[in-house]
Amino acid sequence: MNSPWIAPEIADADAAASAPGAAARALKIERETHKLEKRLCRQVGQAIMDFGMIEEGDRVMVCVSGGKDSYGMLDILLKMQQRAPVNFELIAVNLDQKQPGFPDHVLPAYLKQLGVPFHIETQDTYSIVKKVIPEGKTMCSLCSRLRRGILYRVADELKITKIALGHHRDDMLQTFFLNMFFGGKLKGMPPKLVSDDGGHIVIRPLASVAEKDLTRWAAHRAFPIIPCTLCGSQENLQRKQIGNMLRDWEKQYPGRIESMFTALQNVVPSHLMDTKRHDFQNIRTTGVPDPEGDTAFDAPELPAPSAPGGMQLVQL
Ligand code: SF4
């Protein structure tokens, strides 16, 4: 029988053991899982290097919520720790917000079994939020603010040098579109930045990792997932809509997510309209041809990244 914590293909591997071709199938699953693990490690390692996320002697606080993303982050960082060219410590931290039904034994048992140093901070923010926010209104903004304050304090107490959060590539893109559609800003979610209180460095080691890979990894590793709906708050509808939009785009135009993610790392301020980022007032001719200069007419057609058949207009 398949468990919801076990990927169907992994669970099916045993069941299929006596079926014709079972060995070949099991081998294929093993290879796919190995490729997934390599990809996760490569992407996390690359992001750590590109953005200078972890340095010699760092004490990294790995924020673990009980969701697939943070379990995946801890798992991959533990692998990185074995092979990294620098020495650093990992301290898993969970905030028990006293949400009704939160299974507070799950994370300590899991972390103990992993052998990773950890700290569980218990603070009843749930009651505070319930008291302050009227019934039916979304509680997330106050809840996140309280959680942030507590995590910063815990980071100080544990002498933490980096706070690692489990946001992934799809979160980064969703945030980018949320800011553009509803905030009038070209602004994403940074892979590394100083915290809003100015006192901590926040890093996102999963910045380049696709959510679907984390889902597969969580199933393969059978993480003891704690549901994230215990607070009873409404999901952020706007974020959900953006997530659906991105998934639909990717289905229709495979490769679009990858292209958008690459674009976040290739910003050309002279081709945007922010006078704070580019000095339009003092533009002068140089007489020197510049491939980044204005092409005067319509942009040439661009190839859709992985679309078969070569050149075609990138459609919206
Ligand atoms: S979903 Fe619940 S726990 Fe998460 S931020 Fe919102 S109120 Fe807090």
Side-chain angles (χ1 to χ4, degrees):
M1 194 177 71
N2 288 1
S3 151
W5 285 350
I6 301 177
E9 69 265 31
I10 305 281
D12 288 349
D14 286 343
S18 56
R25 190 158 172 250
L27 191 66
K28 187 170 174 240
I29 292 167
E30 201 184 310
R31 279 203 193 122
E32 288 298 316
T33 308
H34 182 61
K35 265 188 354 205
L36 173 63
E37 180 176 353
K38 270 176 68 179
R39 183 162 64 245
L40 289 170
C41 289
R42 177 172 43 76
Q43 290 175 333
V44 170
Q46 191 69 46
I48 289 175
M49 267 186 354
D50 288 350
F51 301 102
M53 288 187 190
I54 298 180
E55 295 149 291
E56 179 71 34
D58 266 341
R59 276 172 68 79
V60 181
M61 173 165 125
V62 186
C63 297
V64 182
S65 64
K68 68 176 189 326
D69 305 334
S70 56
Y71 274 128
M73 170 173 64
L74 177 62
D75 208 30
I76 303 296
L77 284 177
L78 283 166
K79 291 180 194 298
M80 294 280 122
Q81 200 180 26
Q82 302 301 314
R83 66 176 76 151
V86 294
N87 296 304
F88 62 92
E89 293 172 73
L90 294 172
I91 301 105
V93 170
N94 169 253
L95 173 58
D96 176 355
Q97 298 177 271
K98 287 285 150 218
Q99 293 168 350
F102 183 78
D104 57 11
H105 60 286
V106 170
L107 272 165
Y110 175 76
L111 296 168
K112 243 181 237 160
Q113 169 227 312
L114 268 190
V116 64
F118 71 91
H119 172 80
I120 307 286
E121 179 74 14
T122 303
Q123 291 277 320
D124 186 359
T125 60
Y126 176 77
S127 302
I128 300 173
V129 171
K130 273 292 204 201
K131 221 182 279 168
V132 175
I133 304 289
E135 198 59 44
K137 296 272 176 214
T138 172
M139 310 185 291
C140 297
S141 144
L142 175 61
C143 175
S144 316
R145 227 175 28 248
L146 293 171
R147 191 168 48 204
R148 226 161 43 227
I150 295 165
L151 287 175
Y152 293 165
R153 172 180 58 71
V154 171
D156 285 336
E157 289 168 5
L158 297 176
K159 301 196 183 332
I160 292 299
T161 56
K162 302 277 169 59
I163 300 178
L165 301 178
H167 297 111
H168 47 69
R169 185 192 70 178
D170 301 60
D171 290 323
M172 321 276 276
L173 276 172
Q174 282 170 18
T175 305
F176 176 78
F177 281 103
L178 274 171
N179 281 327
M180 183 159 57
F181 291 173
F182 303 104
K185 275 186 183 170
L186 279 190
K187 176 181 162 180
M189 186 180 253
K192 179 185 180 188
L193 196 66
V194 173
S195 58
D196 56 349
D197 71 346
H200 305 87
I201 295 177
V202 176
I203 57 172
R204 295 185 167 90
L206 302 181
S208 322
V209 175
E211 181 172 20
K212 62 179 188 311
D213 280 350
L214 289 165
T215 305
R216 283 182 61 207
W217 189 246
H220 165 61
R221 300 283 281 158
F223 294 140
I225 304 285
I226 299 174
C228 56
T229 47
L230 296 171
C231 64
S233 183
Q234 290 276 324
E235 246 187 296
N236 181 333
L237 272 183
Q238 290 169 341
R239 186 173 279 281
K240 203 173 161 197
Q241 281 168 0
I242 300 274
N244 290 339
M245 177 190 84
L246 294 175
R247 275 186 290 278
D248 287 349
W249 275 355
E250 183 63 20
K251 242 186 253 157
Q252 260 187 297
Y253 310 108
R256 179 169 285 189
I257 288 207
E258 199 53 51
S259 177
M260 288 188 294
F261 187 70
T262 305
L264 291 183
Q265 299 159 76
N266 277 314
V267 179
V268 186
S270 62
H271 287 50
L272 296 171
M273 295 175 68
D274 187 343
T275 53
K276 297 182 291 303
R277 308 285 151 196
H278 190 70
D279 184 5
F280 292 93
Q281 297 290 343
N282 290 308
I283 286 178
R284 302 284 179 268
T285 54
T286 63
V288 179
D290 177 1
E292 282 295 307
D294 201 299
T295 49
F297 297 101
D298 290 345
E301 289 187 0
L302 298 170
S306 11
M311 306 289 273
Q312 65 177 82
L313 269 180
V314 176
Q315 299 171 60
L316 284 174

